[in-house]
Amino acid sequence: MPVHPYSRNLHTVEQLRVMERAALSALGMAGPGLMRRAASAALNSLSRHWPQLQHICIHCGPGNNGGDGFLLGVLAREAGLRVELMALTAASHGDAAAARAAWEAGGGRVRLWDARGELPDAELHVDALYGIGLNRAPEPGAASLIEAINDSGRPVLALDVPSGLDADTGHCPGAAIRADVTLTFIAGKRGLHTGRAADQVGVLELATLGVPNSVYADVPPDAQLLAAEALPPRARYANKGNYGHLLVIGGEHGMAGAVRLAGESALRAGAGLVSVATRAGHVSALNAARPELMAHGVDGPQALEPLLERASVLALGPGLGQAAWGHALWLTALDAGKPLVLDADGLNLLAREPRRFGAPTVLTPHPGEAARLLAVTTASVEQDRFAAARELARRCGAVVVLKGAGSLIADPDGRLDVCPWGNPGMASGGMGDLLTGIVAALLAQGCSAWQAACLGTGLHARAGDRAAQQGERGLLASDLLAHLRALGNGMTGYEREHD
């Protein structure tokens, strides 16, 4: 589908209500007119994705989302498809009632869902049960239909939002449709891009329904999707001192791999110099494996201080541990007041001893770490990832990368971006250490904390997607490094040239 100039913008449900009213006013039409446009866009999506389709079943709820489904039934029947309509209720309300009447006026039959019954043996199911208004678990009858659709083994097209998915948060409080394609209307919904949405949405498309650009310009988005970016070319008259000196601090006994991954990803992301402060027993192995890293054995704060003086940026936490050695290094590093990235045990120590940061700082928690920092449960964080990321950024005075499916980047003023890349293969050890090194390297090269977090998160996820082209299962953190280097330099087609 063509890229809309506002396609990166993501909105809350409240904002979408405002936009819908403004769209109707700007277009000079009532609700049924916009509903017809939605139905036409849905038929177009059906035709593109499943051109050989003969028989569909449309599942309609009582509200406007169901109205879209009824009008899709009218258009699909006129296009020669065999259409069956299944409804949750005996009557529809508002504009959906007129849409239901239009279906019935053409001789269409409406079958009511019975949890004891079976679905028609259609080639495709269309989910038009609930739209953006549902923020609770579906009622038992609707839940049984959702589960039947999911278990049918047939592809599913969801209209606007997969039913059961909270369009504001990406949380599923109960049963939710697992769509193969979701066609969302007018504008992007922020909840379709993070959390559980990754398993529910499938291929996501936006149909703006001809809404004029003025509607989008008048409603600033709540969040935005990251754009694919790279670092600018380097000046020909450059030296390593121009690109920062990063110090990675961590690697308690048995965790040398964490600091190596963080340090190596920092080098691949372009840091001029990378030192590692770690346990003395790890130094020879690090020197042998990656001689470009300047590895130093430190037994406590006194040995760390001269390394801190030479560094311009710190990466604190990979493999640090929370015992006396790690805690002492953590305190000494934070007291240096230098720009830093804080991850892993650096965050766990922060949860025990909270502080607000003055220097440019990026925190990179997963949901469990974020929960400890906010003194809530992990489930609470996942119920509203947007609120959690923003609150953590505000509380700590830092940019926060809340990792997970659809990673979120938030700053203390409430700005928020969403990462649209990444894959389940990246749910493996060492991936967070890579991200720490990448973001810290970008800080060292002169990026602001916000720029480093956004660009670093995007490069990390995109490198993961390229590496996963050979399969998600078994993906190693180190598999991302070559792709990271190519993407950071703005190179395209790298994977084809090097297969």
Side-chain angles (χ1 to χ4, degrees):
M1 295 181 72
V3 177
H4 188 266
Y6 296 97
S7 60
R8 289 177 51 225
N9 289 359
L10 303 178
H11 296 272
T12 65
V13 169
E14 182 180 355
Q15 289 176 321
L16 286 158
R17 302 286 193 209
V18 172
M19 295 175 78
E20 287 175 0
R21 291 193 293 270
L24 291 172
S25 176
L27 294 168
M29 64 172 58
L34 209 56
M35 199 173 280
R36 282 191 292 273
R37 292 190 179 196
S40 179
L43 181 61
N44 181 47
S45 181
L46 274 174
S47 301
R48 283 185 291 105
H49 287 284
W50 299 280
Q52 306 303 318
L53 208 60
Q54 300 280 328
H55 179 198
I56 66 174
C57 181
I58 305 173
H59 304 271
C60 297
N64 285 349
N65 196 244
D68 296 338
F70 281 114
L71 290 184
L72 170 60
V74 173
L75 297 179
R77 183 176 56 196
E78 291 172 353
L81 294 179
R82 179 184 170 196
V83 182
E84 295 189 62
L85 257 294
M86 182 166 285
L88 282 176
T89 57
S92 302
H93 53 74
D95 294 333
R100 186 172 188 150
W103 165 255
E104 293 174 330
R109 175 174 171 265
V110 178
R111 174 180 160 189
L112 294 181
W113 167 246
D114 182 344
R116 295 167 297 181
E118 295 182 352
L119 295 180
D121 188 23
E123 298 169 80
L124 173 109
H125 294 283
V126 177
D127 165 32
L129 295 172
Y130 296 110
I132 61 174
L134 188 73
N135 57 7
R136 64 186 188 283
E139 300 295 329
S144 68
L145 176 53
I146 288 170
E147 290 164 358
I149 293 170
N150 287 341
D151 292 342
S152 69
R154 301 295 190 180
V156 178
L157 170 68
L159 302 188
D160 209 17
V161 178
S163 294
L165 176 70
D166 189 319
D168 249 351
T169 66
H171 178 58
C172 297
I177 286 288
R178 292 193 302 271
D180 294 272
V181 176
T182 297
L183 181 67
T184 199
F185 301 128
I186 300 181
K189 287 82 179 167
R190 67 178 199 174
L192 300 188
H193 295 270
T194 195
R196 283 283 303 279
D199 284 324
Q200 313 302 136
V201 168
V203 175
L204 180 61
E205 297 180 341
L206 171 65
T208 61
L209 309 185
V211 170
N213 286 349
S214 61
V215 171
Y216 301 93
D218 289 343
V219 183
D222 178 78
Q224 283 195 311
L225 292 173
L226 289 177
E229 294 181 320
L231 290 165
R234 290 186 165 180
R236 305 316 300 166
Y237 185 72
N239 64 75
K240 61 191 176 186
N242 298 134
Y243 302 109
H245 187 167
L246 170 63
L247 175 62
V248 181
I249 305 168
E252 179 59 286
H253 293 304
M255 291 186 280
V259 286
R260 180 188 166 184
L261 286 168
E264 191 163 351
S265 67
L267 288 170
R268 292 301 188 188
L273 294 166
V274 180
S275 294
V276 176
T278 188
R279 286 288 192 180
H282 298 149
V283 170
S284 10
L286 287 170
N287 284 336
R290 180 52 66 198
E292 297 88 347
L293 294 173
M294 296 178 287
H296 303 267
V298 294
D299 56 7
Q302 189 172 359
L304 181 63
E305 283 171 357
L307 301 177
L308 290 170
E309 290 175 7
R310 293 195 292 270
S312 56
V313 171
L314 311 179
L316 177 59
L320 183 66
Q322 300 179 58
W325 179 82
H327 183 242
L329 298 188
W330 181 83
L331 283 173
T332 305
L334 291 189
D335 288 345
K338 297 204 170 186
L340 82 153
V341 179
L342 202 60
D343 185 37
D345 282 323
L347 296 171
N348 291 325
L349 289 166
L350 182 64
R352 284 164 39 184
E353 301 177 37
R355 66 170 66 194
R356 187 172 174 84
F357 297 93
T361 300
V362 180
L363 312 182
T364 59
H366 58 57
E369 291 162 342
R372 287 189 283 277
L373 288 162
L374 293 169
V376 298
T377 64
T378 303
S380 176
V381 169
E382 289 291 70
Q383 283 173 8
D384 192 341
R385 289 167 54 83
F386 295 91
R390 283 184 164 126
E391 173 58 18
L392 188 53
R394 184 199 65 78
R395 190 178 296 186
C396 294
V399 174
V400 169
V401 180
L402 179 57
K403 296 182 290 195
S407 292
L408 307 182
I409 305 99
D411 76 3
D413 296 324
R415 182 178 179 182
L416 191 145
D417 277 12
V418 183
C419 180
W421 308 290
N423 64 82
M426 298 175 72
S428 64
M431 290 291 177
D433 302 318
L434 286 189
L435 179 62
T436 299
I438 296 166
V439 175
L442 295 172
L443 274 176
Q445 292 171 83
C447 290
S448 68
W450 175 258
Q451 291 167 334
C454 290
L455 178 55
T457 301
L459 288 174
H460 178 255
R462 290 164 61 205
D465 286 346
R466 289 195 172 200
Q469 289 179 353
Q470 295 179 345
E472 293 175 352
R473 187 172 284 107
L475 184 65
L476 302 181
S478 56
D479 294 338
L480 277 60
L481 291 170
H483 301 287
L484 170 64
R485 181 184 176 193
L487 289 165
N489 285 286
M491 297 169 65
T492 59
Y494 179 86
E495 70 281 2
R496 291 190 297 274
E497 296 164 11
H498 291 73
D499 276 347

